[in-house]
Amino acid sequence: METRTIGAAAATALALLAARDLTQKRHALLRNFPVIGHARYLLETVGPELRQYIVSPNEEERPFSRDQRSWIYASAKEENNYFGFGTEVDVEHIQGHAYLKQRTFAGTLPDAHDPQALLPSAKVLGGPRGRAKAFRPASVVNISAMSFGSLSGAAITALNKGAAMAGTMHNTGEGGLSPYHRGGGDLVLQIGTGYFGCRNEDGSFNLDKLKDMVASAPVKAIEIKLSQGAKPGLGGMLPGAKVTEEIAGIRGIPVGEDCSSPSRHTAFSDVDSMLDFVELLAAETGLPVGVKSAVGEMGFWQELATLMARGDRGADFVTIDGGEGGTGAAPRIFADSVALPFRMGFSRVYGTFAELRLTDDLTFIGSGKLGLPENAAVAFALGADMVNVGREAMLAIGCIQSQKCHTDKCPTGIATQSQWLARGLDSASKATRAAAYIRSLRRELAKVSSAVGVAHPALITANDIEIMNGDYEARTLASVYGYKDGWSELGAHLASEITALATKPASVQRSV
């Protein structure tokens, strides 16, 4: 009798726990996997102790280490994201590790702890080329391109609403502008090789459809995607089984049929015709227009810079994606060995434009694991004006790095089209976390800038950071990547302008 009573009590307790897990909205994993999902949190809790003896240190996991994920999770939950008892990094021996050089004295600096600080862009997007709808982005941290289709509607909704809360922009990805992108966040509309949402039946580009799409939503800029870090030079494929009626309607493709993204554009065939396409889109929409690409052979960039130096045509921004980027599923060879890593690729592109003194007239955006303060600081020091965050934003809304993105079985309902799995993700609470993470990253960048003695991360230079180059030896970032004097520095008028703006209260920044 006593055994039966204990068994009944245990069963009742499990049933109550399952009911609680199914109805709570804080953890998508528990809504999808009631009761058993708690094992994951138990293992996470004791993970440091386990790794200390039998697994691996907190800094050795990939793509994101436990320490990196812990910082993102804590930031998203607005918990204490500090670390205690010193660094776990072997500071004198880690090849490639970056060290920022703090200054003892500095001029007037903004409040680095202001929770409302926006850190606006140092440059007006589209300003140098006189675009009709040129603007100064309110945030140097924005959400990278991740399409509805690769991510669930619930995840896109959370990211877009989070972008609105944080005053940042949200890139639609190449999958078209979905209803889930209409949660109030400002948008960067990405056009890929499939021209989804603005295509004819044969897959060619349709300008009128693009203009209608731009007019229907808060689109602030257009980005032409040439390639991405996850699979540069390779088109994508969405299997017909995933092409639901909803996705087909958004992308303008047949229901249930394989959806192919070609590896190259059909609206243009070389740099010259690409610039014509850029100017066409800018003239017809009034918006700033840029290009996104991973970096391979440099002939493309050299020709682009040479043609832009004439002054009559040009992109308003370039987004450089590192080969280590990874929001898209890709063949292993492309993930590991195609396209240059971010620092190498970005520095080569930046140097190409710097040689022709074009850097002040172009906004540089970096992406590829730049949602961590140290990586972002290096990007700004190399000359980036803004950074885009992809996987880090996914982690902020609940991703656990299960690496199931390519299987449609993401356990947290983020990288999936499974309604059963996606229902576990509560968009409202996850939007709050996305916004909190972005604000935390901006605050960290403000603190780092202040430590270096400048008012804004865009004022950090390649001489303010040293890179470990072997045991007990380091070189400046400028030396490592061959930067000449003055490269990575804003022109005097831009530096003065952003210093004045950054030291004003957040309320004033919002009105500029």
Side-chain angles (χ1 to χ4, degrees):
M1 177 66 73
E2 184 176 345
T3 301
R4 287 199 299 270
T5 301
I6 293 174
T12 301
L14 288 174
L16 290 172
L17 179 60
R20 174 191 173 280
D21 289 345
L22 288 167
T23 56
Q24 59 83 38
K25 296 182 178 181
R26 182 176 175 82
H27 298 293
L29 188 69
L30 296 181
R31 294 188 78 186
N32 290 335
F33 299 96
V35 183
I36 61 173
H38 287 278
R40 182 260 176 185
Y41 295 103
L42 174 63
L43 289 172
E44 183 183 40
T45 300
V46 300
E49 291 80 5
L50 291 175
R51 276 189 296 275
Q52 184 176 1
Y53 296 106
I54 61 173
V55 191
S56 62
N58 288 344
E59 280 295 323
E60 285 191 1
E61 293 178 88
R62 294 291 184 273
F64 290 83
S65 71
R66 178 180 171 83
D67 277 350
Q68 291 170 337
R69 298 198 312 273
S70 294
W71 181 83
I72 294 172
Y73 292 148
S75 298
K77 297 174 185 177
E78 299 184 274
E79 297 173 350
N80 185 346
N81 61 7
Y82 281 35
F83 288 79
F85 213 65
T87 180
E88 295 183 359
V89 175
D90 187 359
V91 295
E92 293 182 319
H93 304 96
I94 299 296
Q95 186 86 8
H97 192 70
Y99 297 95
L100 287 92
K101 298 185 288 188
Q102 84 281 5
R103 285 189 174 89
T104 304
F105 302 108
T108 302
L109 298 175
D111 179 3
H113 299 278
D114 181 0
Q116 301 303 319
L118 284 175
L119 282 183
S121 171
K123 295 175 182 174
V124 174
L125 199 62
R129 305 207 65 80
R131 305 305 188 196
K133 298 179 182 179
F135 70 104
R136 184 188 299 277
S139 171
V140 297
V141 178
N142 298 287
I143 297 176
S144 193
M146 295 176 284
S147 302
F148 170 60
S150 61
L151 300 191
S152 67
I156 295 292
T157 298
L159 292 173
N160 189 259
K161 290 184 175 180
M165 294 176 189
T168 191
M169 295 187 294
H170 180 196
N171 193 306
T172 63
E174 66 174 314
L177 205 162
S178 73
Y180 308 105
H181 288 104
R182 301 174 186 270
D186 286 337
L187 299 172
V188 175
L189 178 65
Q190 188 180 84
I191 302 175
T193 56
Y195 307 117
F196 298 126
C198 54
R199 60 186 262 147
N200 298 309
E201 287 188 11
D202 64 357
S204 59
F205 174 70
N206 185 304
L207 179 60
D208 290 332
K209 288 184 179 180
L210 172 71
K211 292 166 68 175
D212 289 344
M213 188 161 48
V214 166
S216 73
V219 176
K220 304 289 284 184
I222 295 173
E223 180 178 82
I224 301 168
K225 174 189 167 184
L226 305 177
S227 64
Q228 68 185 77
K231 46 189 173 186
L234 181 70
M237 173 65 74
L238 189 65
K242 293 185 179 181
V243 182
T244 63
E245 186 173 344
E246 181 180 36
I247 290 176
I250 292 167
R251 297 196 176 195
I253 57 177
V255 178
E257 295 184 16
D258 289 349
C259 173
S260 172
S261 296
S263 61
R264 305 290 189 277
H265 279 266
T266 57
F268 51 86
S269 58
D270 54 22
V271 177
D272 188 63
S273 57
M274 184 191 77
L275 285 178
D276 285 341
F277 189 65
V278 167
E279 293 297 336
L280 172 68
L281 300 189
E284 292 290 334
T285 65
L287 296 172
V289 180
V291 297
K292 173 182 179 176
S293 182
V295 181
E297 61 88 24
M298 288 300 297
F300 165 80
W301 298 103
Q302 291 159 357
E303 185 176 356
L304 176 60
T306 300
L307 291 179
M308 285 182 59
R310 299 177 183 175
D312 57 332
R313 299 174 300 164
D316 297 294
F317 63 95
V318 293
T319 303
I320 303 301
D321 200 9
E324 65 270 48
T327 56
R332 176 56 58 191
I333 180 65
F334 280 82
D336 289 347
S337 303
V338 181
L340 297 176
F342 172 77
R343 296 180 186 180
M344 188 180 296
F346 183 92
S347 61
R348 291 186 185 182
V349 172
Y350 183 90
T352 300
F353 286 94
E355 288 280 13
L356 297 176
R357 300 183 180 181
L358 297 174
T359 54
D360 279 357
D361 296 329
L362 185 64
T363 295
F364 291 89
I365 304 173
S367 64
K369 206 173 178 181
L370 302 184
L372 301 165
E374 57 270 36
N375 291 350
V378 170
F380 283 110
L382 287 171
D385 301 298
M386 298 190 289
V387 296
N388 287 345
V389 296
R391 286 172 291 179
E392 299 90 339
M394 292 169 64
L395 288 166
I397 64 171
C399 169
I400 59 172
Q401 195 171 276
S402 65
Q403 298 181 285
K404 300 291 185 182
C405 311
H406 58 298
T407 67
D408 204 38
K409 296 179 181 179
C410 170
T412 57
I414 296 174
T416 181
Q417 291 304 304
S418 165
Q419 293 184 4
W420 169 61
L421 292 170
R423 67 164 292 280
L425 194 153
D426 179 63
S427 298
S429 64
K430 300 304 184 183
T432 301
R433 291 192 181 186
Y437 157 69
I438 291 169
R439 293 191 193 104
S440 293
L441 178 56
R442 286 199 301 244
R443 280 198 299 274
E444 292 289 299
L445 290 171
K447 293 174 186 176
V448 165
S449 302
S450 181
V452 174
V454 296
H456 189 276
L459 298 173
I460 301 173
T461 75
N463 286 310
D464 292 321
I465 295 180
E466 295 203 5
I467 303 294
M468 284 300 296
N469 190 43
D471 289 354
Y472 311 107
E473 201 172 276
R475 294 166 57 193
T476 65
L477 200 63
S479 173
V480 171
Y481 293 106
Y483 274 31
K484 298 179 181 179
D485 289 346
W487 287 15
S488 82
E489 298 178 18
L490 294 175
H493 69 291
L494 288 175
S496 176
E497 192 175 75
I498 193 57
T499 297
L501 182 57
T503 52
K504 294 180 184 298
S507 59
V508 176
Q509 294 178 21
R510 288 184 174 85
S511 66
V512 175

